[in-house]
């Protein structure tokens, strides 16, 4: 079996040790970090999601897979963050209130750091008010929100309403992302951009910072 297939397979089994070993092996074999991430770790996690949806696996299996995903990401992280790049702007990032899914948000954070942004990561299950308070406190140019549940998406709308109420909406840009979101939803709630992955988030944030 090819290394990336083995990686996908080990991630699905929630075998953190194998995922770490194969991720290291991939790096040693000079496979691009993006390929290891996209075609190994994320591809494996997508299969986990489908199986979970179809009731072929259960929540503890998903948790184990998430743990294994982190084992791989921990190894890739230093390679994704280029050293010594000056800060080109501050981004406050978090997963919205009620939502504990933070793998995608963390990936986006790593990519933004790698692109030279200072990332203030509020974590997961973040109340709407906290996004606004942090953006004001750190004078952030960007607020980035992640949601993976259809039930938590409305929290994003609340954050945007609060930003308008506190009159900071026009001073910064708000980006949103997460599997259930869409360009259309982002537009409806007044977000400045919908980002489908970390690379796209970096591109959009760079555009916004340049345009200022
Ligand atoms: Co849950 N879960 N989960 N889960 N989980 C989903 C999201 C689900 C789609 C699974 C399914 O049914 N197929 C489903 C949601 C259904 C819905 O709302 N329509 C679901 C459910 C139902 C639940 C629970 C309710 C299950 C239960 O308890 N019965 C529960 C909810 C808990 C809560 O949040 N309150 C729950 C729990 C969990 C775990 C804790 C076990 C675990 C999360 C662990 C963790 O994150 N620390 C988990 C996982 C792992 C998943 C799946 C399998 C994988 C999510 C993931 O990490 N993907 C997921 C199914 C799936 O998405 N395939 C599922 C990999 C990650 C890299 O992708 O997060 O999409 P993603 O991020 C991408 C892009 O979306 C984008 O860039 C990232 C990189 O490419 N992006 C952004 C994301 N955020 C961004 C922000 C940006 C820009 C881009 O700017 C700021």
């Amino acid at each position: 079996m090819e290394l990336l297939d083995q990686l996908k397979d080990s991630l699905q089994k929630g075998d953190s040790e194998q995922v770490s070993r194969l991720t290291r092996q991939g790096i040693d074999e000079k496979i691009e970090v993006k390929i290891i991430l996209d075609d190994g770790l994320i591809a494996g996690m997508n299969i986990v999601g489908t199986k979970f949806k179809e009731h072929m696996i259960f929540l503890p299996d998903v948790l184990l897979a998430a743990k294994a995903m982190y084992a791989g990401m921990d190894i890739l992280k230093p390679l994704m963050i280029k050293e010594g790049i000056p800060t080109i702007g501050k981004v406050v990032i978090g997963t919205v209130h009620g939502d504990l899914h933070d793998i995608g948000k963390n990936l986006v954070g790593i990519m933004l750091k790698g692109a030279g942004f200072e990332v203030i990561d509020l974590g997961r299950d973040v109340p709407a008010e906290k996004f606004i308070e942090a953006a004001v406190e750190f004078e952030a140019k960007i607020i980035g929100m992640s949601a993976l549940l259809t039930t938590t998406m409305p929290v994003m709308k609340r954050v945007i309403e609060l930003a308008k109420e506190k009159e900071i909406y026009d001073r910064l840009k708000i980006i949103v992302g997460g599997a259930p979101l869409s360009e259309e939803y982002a537009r409806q709630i007044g977000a400045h951009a919908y980002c489908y992955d970390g690379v796209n988030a970096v591109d959009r944030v760079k555009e916004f910072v340049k345009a200022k």
Side-chain angles (χ1 to χ4, degrees), residues 1-11 21-22:
M1 214 196 288
E2 226 188 285
L3 186 134
L4 292 173
D5 288 330
Q6 287 180 45
L7 191 52
K8 267 194 293 192
D9 200 49
S10 305
L11 188 128
R21 194 186 65 73
L22 290 164

Side-chain angles (χ1 to χ4, degrees), residues 102-122:
D102 62 359
I103 297 175
K105 180 267 297 169
N106 289 343
L107 262 176
V108 173
I110 292 169
M111 305 289 282
L112 286 167
K113 275 188 200 164
F117 290 93
E118 187 176 336
V119 177
I120 296 115
D121 189 344
L122 304 177

Side-chain angles (χ1 to χ4, degrees), residues 42 45-46 48-50 52-53 59 62-63 66 69-70 93 98-105 107-108 124 143-151 175-180 195-198 201:
I42 293 183
M45 193 50 111
N46 284 340
V48 170
T50 308
F52 178 64
K53 201 172 166 185
L59 204 55
V62 184
L63 268 174
M69 175 101 185
Y70 273 121
I93 193 171
D99 205 321
L100 302 177
H101 297 87
D102 62 359
I103 297 175
K105 180 267 297 169
L107 262 176
V108 173
R124 54 191 187 170
I143 292 179
M145 292 182 277
S146 180
L148 263 287
L149 298 171
T150 42
T151 49
I175 64 164
V176 293
C195 307
Y196 53 82
D197 67 9

